[in-house]
Amino acid sequence: MCGIIGYCGHRPAVPLVLEGLKRLEYRGYDSAGLAFLQLNKLEVIRSEGKLCNLEEKVAKTANTFAPISIGHTRWATHGLPVERNSHPHKSNNNALAIVHNGIIENFQELKDELLQKGYVFYSDTDTEVLANLISDELDALFAAKFSKKYEQMQAELESISQNSLQYLPYMEEAFRNALKRAHGAYAVVLLSPLIPQHLLAARLSAPLLLGIGIGEYFIASDVPAFLPYTRDVVFLDDNEYVVLSASSYAVKNIYVGEEIAKTVHHIPWDLQGAAKDGYKHFMLKEIMEQPRVLQDCLVGRLQDDMVCLPELDTLAVPDSIRIIACGTSYNAGLWSQYYLEQFAEIPVTVEIASEFRYRKPILNKNELVVVISQSGETADTLGALRLCREKDYPVLGICNVLGSSVAREATVSLYTQAGPEISVASTKAMLSQMVVLLLLALYYGQRKKLACPVREVLRELKALPEILENALPKMRDKAKEFAFQYAFAKSFFYLGRGIAYSLALEGALKLKELSYIHAEGYATGEIKHGPIALIDPDFPTFALAFDDENFSKVRSGIQEIKSRQGRVISLLQEGTTLENEDLWYIPKTKLPEFIALPAMQLFSYEMADYLGKDVDQPRNLAKSVTVE
Ligand code: M6R
């Protein structure tokens, strides 16, 4: 995920911005850059890879005492992670540079318009389009006022530093005009030699906050960026922009331009805590950011109620699919079997990578291998991938980490766009894998021209972020309540049927890896074939009872457990009920898996926290298992 920091004040800004970028490193990034003013000329330095590359370049530059600077770390999702795509981006006329988080959805339309006017683009980014759009608006204002464009005013502009306020209203208006035309999400900061003592920054659906110091102000996407200097913060809201200098700031509305009184909040976190956005653990933070993850996964993949996965367009529609993965990624693969078979009518086999690679697997002609891996570095999954590539089977890699081995070695890759997952227990990565796999099922259904309900499913999917956002606080309370009640357990069953079966496996995996309570996931219908012998009052069950065609059968399964004195937590959707005291209601949706998964994650999290376990780094586990 990208990170932003901007500074104006009494300290040398460039080293401060570099340090701020380092504190945003935990978010993950693949390139970085910064901009500052040198003799009132805009200087931009950018570099691929780690921040040390940028530091090296900066060290070779004469003036690092500039009092104003902006910086950015980029986590590429669209456009390669190369220097030309990294931020800051300048306008063609060098009037300004911007850093930007988020996605300008109508960038192509705006770019076409600017191309027609003769603008040139040096990157694949939407950010460069926004930079030129602002400068185009500025030129329009200058032409009306001075009958000249920015480039024709160079002589006058040389004396600008003495009189920076003169052009501030024009730049502000241009900034606002451009942002009013940009749809999507942005946190954007602008630096310009026209306003050498000021930064402009705005937000829409992407975090941006102002740090308030004495004789200095900071603007950043995340608190840790400026935490050593101040804990006093103003959170910008959507459609707000801020004009800041070393001595003042004013927050205004983008549409009406009026100043808005803002509250200054004091951040109680230390650096370590702030890196978790104030959450006690990364795991909790990652669970809570899943509404955003749901949104991010869809970005660039839907068009006119159709699924677009252009990465796959050149591969033939397979006759069968072999999904290979480990752990949580395996559970996501197993879950997708139902949808791939239902919507795409493609037979699917799901395999554990460590088993697959040591068999003599026989793949079908025209079979597509799908490997799923959050990290893209899991040794067993990579081994399976290599085996299939050696046999010349096409491999689709589904992974989260850009440039990882799976991404590089697969025939084609789909990124899950979940942002860096730091906690060892995988949470948001699985949710994002499920979104991509569901899109894959719809995509093949479309390509096969089947009567699959693409529009209806997409409508449900698009509604999920809001439903989940609203549900999370209540789910957390419920998870706490049940964790307290069930912390006595030494063993747990997790039961699910149909689409809920793989979630039961995942629920059990999460509980055991975090709280070290033994847990087994079973297909609800299978329990009576042996495992039910274990049931007694000390052996509880977590049952998934979705409002689908399996509901009555699941209800019978729960009754069988209850009649043997087994205690059951039943996770069910609003509008249904069961003869059971420990009911956990989640909102009604046709895709309940996307709500049930975070609920189970929260239950495991609260259980582990209550039992005093090391939530983010459970014993014996590593984030990425790079050994066999
Ligand atoms: O990076 P991967 O998705 O390939 O990792 C696979 C498993 O190691 C991983 O999902 C593991 O099971 C998680 N720690 C579970 O939370």
Side-chain angles (χ1 to χ4, degrees):
M1 271 169 47
C2 308
I4 286 179
I5 174 157
Y7 174 78
C8 26
H10 48 81
R11 300 170 209 263
V14 172
L16 184 145
V17 161
L18 267 172
E19 285 306 312
L21 291 178
K22 280 188 199 156
R23 281 187 296 277
L24 295 177
E25 267 190 308
Y26 75 95
R27 298 164 71 105
Y29 65 102
D30 40 59
S31 60
L34 52 79
F36 55 97
L37 298 177
Q38 184 151 274
L39 298 175
N40 217 27
K41 223 177 119 250
L42 199 51
E43 296 289 341
V44 172
I45 306 176
R46 306 182 295 185
S47 168
E48 271 176 45
K50 293 288 152 200
L51 275 170
C52 54
N53 302 344
L54 180 67
E55 265 180 313
E56 229 171 80
K57 281 191 172 180
V58 169
K60 292 184 191 140
T61 308
N63 181 0
T64 50
F65 290 98
I68 192 163
S69 175
I70 57 176
H72 191 262
T73 46
R74 175 172 186 257
W75 166 273
T77 50
H78 293 76
L80 294 170
V82 291
E83 190 177 323
R84 71 187 164 80
N85 284 335
S86 53
H87 301 209
H89 286 281
K90 288 201 278 187
S91 58
N92 283 182
N93 57 4
N94 287 329
L96 59 100
I98 61 171
V99 290
H100 162 226
N101 290 354
I103 288 162
I104 307 297
E105 281 164 7
N106 58 336
F107 88 97
Q108 194 57 53
E109 190 184 313
L110 298 170
K111 186 172 182 173
D112 292 345
E113 186 185 312
L114 292 167
L115 281 167
Q116 281 202 342
K117 289 185 177 178
Y119 284 83
V120 180
F121 293 92
Y122 302 96
S123 76
D124 309 321
T125 64
D126 48 352
T127 306
E128 195 187 8
V129 174
L130 184 60
N132 281 307
L133 186 66
I134 301 168
S135 89
D136 190 62
E137 293 286 348
L138 186 72
D139 268 342
L141 295 171
F142 274 15
K145 179 74 186 172
F146 308 111
S147 311
K148 284 182 201 170
K149 287 189 169 185
Y150 173 83
E151 272 164 332
Q152 298 155 324
M153 297 178 69
Q154 291 298 338
E156 292 103 293
L157 296 176
E158 295 206 336
S159 60
I160 230 167
S161 50
Q162 276 77 47
N163 193 11
S164 71
L165 287 178
Q166 185 188 349
Y167 295 107
L168 185 57
Y170 298 99
M171 188 56 92
E172 257 189 80
E173 197 175 336
F175 189 57
R176 287 175 51 208
N177 289 347
L179 291 177
K180 282 188 236 170
R181 301 195 56 205
H183 307 154
Y186 53 74
V188 60
V189 186
L190 176 149
L191 172 70
S192 166
L194 264 183
I195 50 167
Q197 292 155 13
H198 290 84
L199 291 177
L200 301 182
R203 80 152 261 171
L204 178 67
S205 304
L208 195 63
L209 27 106
L210 183 71
I212 299 178
I214 299 169
E216 58 185 349
Y217 288 96
F218 308 79
I219 187 88
S221 53
D222 213 349
V223 178
F226 53 70
L227 205 57
Y229 307 101
T230 180
R231 289 181 176 202
D232 291 330
V233 165
V234 169
F235 294 98
L236 291 196
D237 289 311
D238 280 353
N239 295 317
E240 288 179 355
Y241 74 102
V242 59
V243 186
L244 58 144
S245 69
S247 55
S248 67
Y249 74 92
V251 178
K252 304 180 187 180
N253 179 285
I254 290 173
Y255 285 87
V256 286
E258 264 171 24
E259 196 163 336
I260 301 163
K262 300 289 288 183
T263 312
V264 177
H265 298 266
H266 186 71
I267 302 291
W269 316 317
D270 57 8
L271 255 183
Q272 173 70 10
K276 295 170 191 149
D277 279 358
Y279 288 105
K280 188 170 174 190
H281 298 103
F282 280 111
M283 182 184 178
L284 184 57
K285 172 176 177 258
E286 287 158 8
I287 294 173
M288 299 310 261
E289 66 192 18
Q290 289 179 106
R292 184 193 54 70
V293 169
L294 279 166
Q295 265 167 341
D296 288 356
C297 284
L298 297 177
V299 168
R301 292 182 167 145
L302 308 184
Q303 206 169 33
D304 302 330
D305 288 332
M306 298 279 281
V307 177
C308 309
L309 298 175
E311 300 88 335
L312 294 176
D313 288 349
T314 51
L315 293 183
V317 176
D319 292 340
S320 57
I321 290 180
R322 180 85 48 136
I323 297 180
I324 306 170
C326 302
T328 293
S329 297
Y330 168 84
N331 293 337
L334 194 62
W335 171 82
S336 72
Q337 186 180 32
Y338 287 81
Y339 287 111
L340 281 161
E341 291 183 349
Q342 186 185 337
F343 293 151
E345 295 180 13
I346 298 176
V348 176
T349 321
V350 191
E351 303 236 24
I352 292 169
S354 54
E355 288 297 316
F356 173 86
R357 61 183 298 204
Y358 291 113
R359 293 206 325 268
K360 298 249 174 300
I362 299 163
L363 280 86
N364 304 320
K365 203 165 153 266
N366 199 19
E367 179 151 353
L368 174 71
V369 176
V370 178
V371 298
I372 310 172
S373 174
Q374 185 284 133
S375 60
E377 303 294 347
T378 299
D380 286 318
T381 310
L382 260 175
L385 182 158
R386 287 175 184 151
L387 190 71
C388 298
R389 289 300 295 135
E390 273 162 26
K391 291 178 191 284
D392 251 2
Y393 282 95
V395 176
L396 163 62
I398 297 183
C399 57
N400 192 36
V401 178
L402 212 91
S404 60
S405 302
V406 165
R408 279 183 280 114
E409 295 184 34
T411 320
V412 287
S413 302
L414 292 174
Y415 285 109
T416 51
Q417 299 174 187
E421 190 179 65
I422 292 164
S423 177
V424 165
S426 189
T427 53
K428 61 175 183 169
M430 177 169 178
L431 194 91
S432 66
Q433 289 164 349
M434 285 162 58
V435 176
V436 170
L437 286 159
L438 182 56
L439 294 181
L440 187 70
L442 296 172
Y443 167 83
Y444 279 130
Q446 271 170 205
R447 274 188 71 181
K448 289 175 78 176
K449 302 202 180 348
L450 300 172
C452 93
V454 180
R455 195 178 290 248
E456 291 78 353
V457 176
L458 292 184
R459 195 176 49 231
E460 291 291 324
L461 204 48
K462 284 195 258 181
L464 282 174
E466 199 181 331
I467 298 175
L468 181 58
E469 183 86 59
N470 294 334
L472 276 169
K474 263 206 243 155
M475 294 204 310
R476 187 162 176 217
D477 291 344
K478 205 71 189 165
K480 258 191 202 155
E481 186 186 318
F482 283 134
F484 179 70
Q485 279 178 40
Y486 282 84
F488 68 88
K490 296 280 172 283
S491 277
F492 243 98
F493 271 141
Y494 275 73
L495 300 185
R497 190 173 184 125
I499 51 161
Y501 167 51
S502 51
L503 294 193
L505 298 187
E506 176 59 12
L509 174 60
K510 280 285 100 68
L511 189 70
K512 63 187 145 202
E513 75 171 321
L514 289 165
S515 64
Y516 318 149
I517 293 174
H518 168 247
E520 291 299 325
Y522 265 99
T524 312
E526 189 63 12
I527 187 106
K528 54 187 174 300
H529 298 288
I532 202 165
L534 291 169
I535 293 294
D536 68 23
D538 296 327
F539 196 129
T541 296
F542 193 114
L544 297 166
F546 296 158
D547 186 12
D548 59 20
E549 66 282 4
N550 293 315
F551 185 75
S552 59
K553 293 198 176 68
V554 172
R555 165 184 255 163
S556 312
I558 293 171
Q559 277 320 111
E560 283 159 18
I561 296 167
K562 296 285 303 168
S563 50
R564 283 157 185 85
Q565 277 83 51
R567 290 181 63 180
V568 182
I569 301 173
S570 303
L571 191 85
L572 71 172
Q573 295 178 263
E574 277 157 12
T576 56
T577 193
L578 286 170
E579 305 72 25
N580 182 15
E581 56 283 4
D582 286 339
L583 299 179
W584 183 346
Y585 279 103
I586 57 168
K588 200 166 172 52
T589 135
K590 293 209 171 97
L591 294 170
E593 312 92 293
F594 290 91
I595 313 292
L597 181 71
M600 289 191 304
Q601 293 164 349
L602 282 167
F603 178 64
S604 300
Y605 169 81
E606 294 296 348
M607 188 73 105
D609 192 36
Y610 179 72
L611 295 172
K613 308 296 182 207
D614 186 349
V615 172
D616 281 332
Q617 266 148 10
R619 68 184 182 204
N620 308 337
L621 298 181
K623 183 66 191 153
S624 167
V625 185
T626 52
V627 289
E628 291 179 27

